[in-house]
């Protein structure tokens, strides 16, 4: 089933956005990554579907972003607060079925189409 990311948009610095990834369930983890123009794709946050739902965050978003999952809806949500212009990127959700590399893009097999987040200064 294809992952579907939604919730992106244009927001002023200091504002908030909520991204939702549908059809998110995976045997190991679901993650959010982002890619800005001219830059490599980078890890943002991920959550495991077992191990008590362990979560992982990039240092750049710790304390501002929160990842969570809703098992009944098969969704993973990324709540983004205190947004900065440097958070501007296309955000992708992805599934990891390999039981390793929760923060590493190459271990993720299934990718959604992404949703654009633009933060104005």
């Amino acid at each position: 089933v294809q992952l579907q990311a939604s919730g992106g948009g244009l927001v002023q610095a200091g504002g908030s956005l909520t991204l939702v990834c549908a059809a998110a369930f995976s045997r190991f983890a679901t993650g959010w990554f982002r890619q800005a123009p001219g830059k490599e794709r980078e890890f943002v946050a991920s959550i495991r579907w077992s191990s008590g739902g362990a979560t992982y965050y990039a240092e750049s978003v710790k304390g501002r972003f929160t990842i969570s999952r809703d098992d009944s809806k098969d969704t993973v949500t990324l709540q983004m607060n205190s947004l900065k212009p440097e958070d501007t990127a296309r955000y992708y959700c992805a599934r990891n079925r390999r039981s390793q590399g929760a923060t590493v893009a190459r271990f993720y097999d299934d990718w959604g189409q992404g949703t654009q987040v633009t933060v104005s200064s």
Side-chain angles (χ1 to χ4, degrees):
V1 178
Q2 183 69 31
L3 291 157
Q4 294 286 341
S6 61
L10 173 64
V11 65
Q12 288 188 331
S16 299
L17 281 174
T18 302
L19 305 186
V20 179
C21 179
F25 175 76
S26 176
R27 288 187 303 186
F28 180 58
T30 299
W32 286 96
F33 294 79
R34 65 188 182 188
Q35 187 167 19
K39 294 187 177 181
E40 292 188 355
R41 187 169 297 188
E42 65 174 355
F43 168 75
V44 176
S46 62
I47 186 166
R48 292 179 62 173
W49 288 85
S50 59
S51 296
T55 57
Y56 308 87
Y57 295 94
E59 285 296 325
S60 60
V61 307
K62 275 184 180 178
R64 300 188 298 123
F65 291 11
T66 302
I67 190 170
S68 61
R69 71 177 206 239
D70 187 327
D71 295 24
S72 65
K73 295 181 179 179
D74 191 14
T75 58
V76 168
T77 297
L78 184 68
Q79 177 65 44
M80 306 187 296
N81 299 326
S82 302
L83 283 161
K84 304 175 181 180
E86 51 263 45
D87 293 318
T88 295
R90 192 162 186 85
Y91 283 70
Y92 299 86
C93 62
R95 289 189 292 242
N96 178 329
R97 293 179 270 114
R98 306 193 191 191
S99 301
Q100 62 178 329
T103 65
V104 182
R106 71 175 184 273
F107 289 106
Y108 283 75
D109 302 291
D110 308 312
W111 293 81
Q113 83 289 356
T115 185
Q116 180 67 35
V117 171
T118 303
V119 184
S120 63
S121 57

